């Protein structure tokens, strides 16, 4: 599947889309909570507080199908969703259910192992493995090789609800909880390879693997917390190698909600967005020295990077397009009427979704 963070995009991204009004697909009258994109199939799936998921065509902006029936689907808010490489979709909800949806269908397998709301699902790159995290303090690993998924292992070790989860290349997985602990796991063995207790004061609010210039995943990773700190970890030594008070100032601490390290796509910098309404960039090759800062109009709910730009969706419905190296805000779009909870980009297209129940799409000239 196409990279979530393209290194190269059209030059027109720096000046704005062909039609800033874009195309809008209204799929629900309540907030859309999560999304995942499948560029090869030309579609985006969004999960809603109305318990359904909706699949939208990213070319036409028309709804393709609804993932909800009287006998299948979620009974509460859909909190997380991801495409599998074969086009199937896995979703998790406040009802503690995971649903594995068949490609191009509204049929699903319900997975009932968790005992509390699902916080996040992720797909291990290059494998037939899905991973889920829950408020029941567990992380569960699923074999999705065949049409019907089966649980491979249940990873226990967190003493608080698990809020964050990111798969790395190969066998590595990191998770973070409400108590400030970060754990690194081996997917094959299901065992803890590194446990970082009190990594942050308060919740762990963001995790990201470090990527090299070519966008390849490395062994080191970053964590962000409710304490406003950005930390870089080396699992081989089980130590924090760099710690910066990235979003701490005289007015208080801004929880770090997003961290992206994506090689050339992020100008070889680490980019953060936080509750102090700023986007900042740091150089991991220089002890996380600050490089740039951009101020936002409201709280940042989502962020992606592409071709040296950061695209940040805010609580007031705006999408800020920022040059990462300089911190200059190039322009802002009125992507949604309320909070922008998801942003996806390709070389020539932008897709956003959020609390107004709509999917916003616009194009950039080649």
């Amino acid at each position: 599947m196409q990279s979530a963070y393209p290194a190269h995009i059209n030059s027109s991204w720096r000046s704005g889309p062909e039609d800033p009004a874009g195309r809008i697909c209204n799929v629900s009258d309540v907030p859309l909570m999560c999304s995942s994109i499948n560029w090869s199939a030309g579609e985006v799936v969004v999960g809603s507080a109305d318990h359904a998921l909706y699949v939208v065509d990213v070319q036409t902006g028309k709804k393709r199908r609804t993932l909800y029936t009287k006998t299948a689907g979620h009974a509460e808010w859909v909190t997380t969703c991801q495409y599998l490489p074969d086009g199937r979709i896995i979703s998790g909800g406040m009802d503690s259910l995971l649903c594995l949806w068949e490609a191009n269908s509204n049929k699903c397998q319900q997975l009932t192992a968790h005992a509390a709301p699902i916080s996040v699902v992720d797909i291990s790159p290059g494998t037939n493995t899905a991973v889920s995290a829950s408020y029941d303090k567990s992380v569960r690993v699923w074999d999705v090789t065949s049409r019907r998924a089966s649980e491979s292992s249940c990873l226990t070790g967190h003493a608080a609800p698990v809020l964050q989860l990111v798969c790395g290349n190969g066998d590595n997985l990191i998770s973070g909880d409400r108590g400030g602990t970060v754990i690194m796991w081996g997917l094959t063995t299901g065992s803890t390879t590194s446990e970082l207790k009190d990594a942050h004061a308060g919740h762990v609010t963001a995790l990201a693997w470090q990527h090299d210039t070519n966008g390849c995943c490395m062994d080191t990773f970053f964590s962000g917390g409710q304490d406003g700190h950005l930390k870089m970890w080396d699992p081989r030594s089980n130590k924090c190698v760099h710690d910066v008070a990235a979003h701490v100032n005289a007015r208080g601490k801004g929880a770090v909600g997003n961290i992206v390290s994506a090689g050339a796509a992020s100008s070889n910098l680490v980019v953060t967005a936080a509750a102090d309404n700023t986007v900042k960039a740091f150089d991991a090759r220089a002890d996380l020295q600050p490089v740039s800062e951009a101020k936002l109009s409201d709280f940042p709910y989502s962020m992606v990077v592409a071709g040296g730009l950061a695209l940040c969706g805010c609580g007031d419905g705006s999408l800020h397009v920022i040059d990462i190296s300089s911190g200059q805000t190039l322009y802002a779009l009125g992507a949604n009427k309320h909070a922008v909870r998801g942003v996806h980009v390709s070389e020539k297209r932008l897709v956003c979704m959020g609390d107004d129940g709509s999917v916003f799409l616009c194009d950039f000239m080649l």
Side-chain angles (χ1 to χ4, degrees):
M1 297 179 73
Q2 182 176 319
S3 170
Y5 306 126
H8 305 287
I9 53 176
N10 301 335
S11 58
S12 59
W13 274 93
R14 291 187 166 271
S15 55
E18 292 177 294
D19 177 11
R23 302 180 300 287
I24 296 174
C25 179
N26 293 303
V27 296
S28 178
D29 57 2
V30 296
L32 304 178
M33 310 304 298
C34 57
S35 62
S36 182
I37 196 93
N38 185 342
W39 290 112
S40 60
E43 63 184 37
V44 61
V45 61
V46 294
S48 173
D50 67 10
H51 312 171
L53 295 100
Y54 302 94
V55 178
V56 175
D57 187 304
V58 299
Q59 174 66 39
T60 65
K62 303 295 184 182
K63 185 175 72 172
R64 286 185 176 179
R65 62 189 182 278
T66 300
L67 304 183
Y68 180 83
T69 69
K70 291 182 179 180
T71 58
H74 293 282
E76 290 290 347
W77 291 11
V78 183
T79 53
T80 179
C81 58
Q82 288 288 340
Y83 273 100
L84 275 66
D86 62 7
R88 288 179 293 168
I89 296 164
I90 187 167
S91 60
M94 292 289 290
D95 53 6
S96 79
L97 281 179
L98 288 164
C99 292
L100 181 61
W101 302 90
E102 296 181 9
N104 303 311
S105 170
N106 64 356
K107 296 179 180 179
C108 79
Q109 175 192 3
Q110 293 184 330
L111 307 171
T112 58
H114 283 292
I118 311 296
S119 50
V120 61
V121 292
D122 199 13
I123 310 300
S124 178
T127 72
N128 291 304
T129 302
V131 188
S132 57
S134 169
Y135 279 72
D136 66 8
K137 306 175 188 178
S138 74
V139 173
R140 294 180 184 266
V141 182
W142 305 89
D143 184 347
V144 291
T145 306
S146 63
R147 180 181 173 186
R148 295 190 66 81
S150 59
E151 186 176 353
S152 301
S153 57
C154 176
L155 312 182
T156 57
H158 285 285
V162 186
L163 306 179
Q164 302 295 324
L165 173 74
V166 185
C167 293
N169 285 338
D171 196 48
N172 294 326
L173 165 74
I174 45 176
S175 56
D177 66 34
R178 184 179 272 181
T181 294
V182 174
I183 298 179
M184 183 172 176
W185 312 86
L187 279 177
T188 304
T189 62
S191 60
T192 301
T193 58
S194 180
E195 184 174 1
L196 310 168
K197 289 187 176 180
D198 301 320
H200 289 277
H203 306 173
V204 177
T205 51
L207 292 170
W209 291 96
Q210 185 179 13
H211 288 72
D212 63 18
T213 332
N214 299 315
C216 297
C217 187
M218 301 170 67
D219 291 333
T220 46
F221 66 88
F222 303 96
S223 67
Q226 200 175 23
D227 54 11
H229 281 246
L230 170 68
K231 297 187 178 185
M232 181 175 177
W233 303 90
D234 184 349
R236 294 164 297 186
S237 63
N238 212 33
K239 291 181 178 178
C240 174
V241 291
H242 300 301
D243 178 3
V244 293
H247 296 274
V248 179
N249 54 45
R251 292 172 295 177
K253 303 169 184 177
V256 181
N258 297 272
I259 304 173
V260 180
S261 164
S266 59
S267 297
N268 296 312
L269 299 171
V270 184
V271 188
T272 61
D276 61 355
N277 297 356
T278 63
V279 170
K280 296 185 179 183
F282 302 86
D283 191 343
R285 298 165 297 183
D287 301 336
L288 289 181
Q289 288 296 311
V291 174
S292 67
E293 175 179 343
K295 295 190 181 301
L296 302 169
S297 58
D298 206 336
F299 181 92
Y301 277 85
S302 53
M303 183 178 68
V304 297
V305 300
L309 303 179
L311 294 93
C312 192
C314 296
D316 58 3
S318 65
L319 180 85
H320 292 240
V321 180
I322 300 162
D323 182 283
I324 295 171
S325 296
S326 68
Q328 179 187 1
T329 299
L330 303 180
Y331 56 91
L333 296 172
N336 294 87
K337 294 178 182 177
H338 302 292
V340 181
R341 291 186 181 269
V343 183
H344 306 279
V345 295
S346 69
E347 182 184 2
K348 62 178 183 179
R349 184 159 291 140
L350 167 70
V351 180
C352 302
M353 46 67 65
D355 280 5
D356 63 0
S358 73
V359 177
F360 171 84
L361 309 99
C362 63
D363 300 321
F364 292 78
M365 295 178 61
L366 285 171

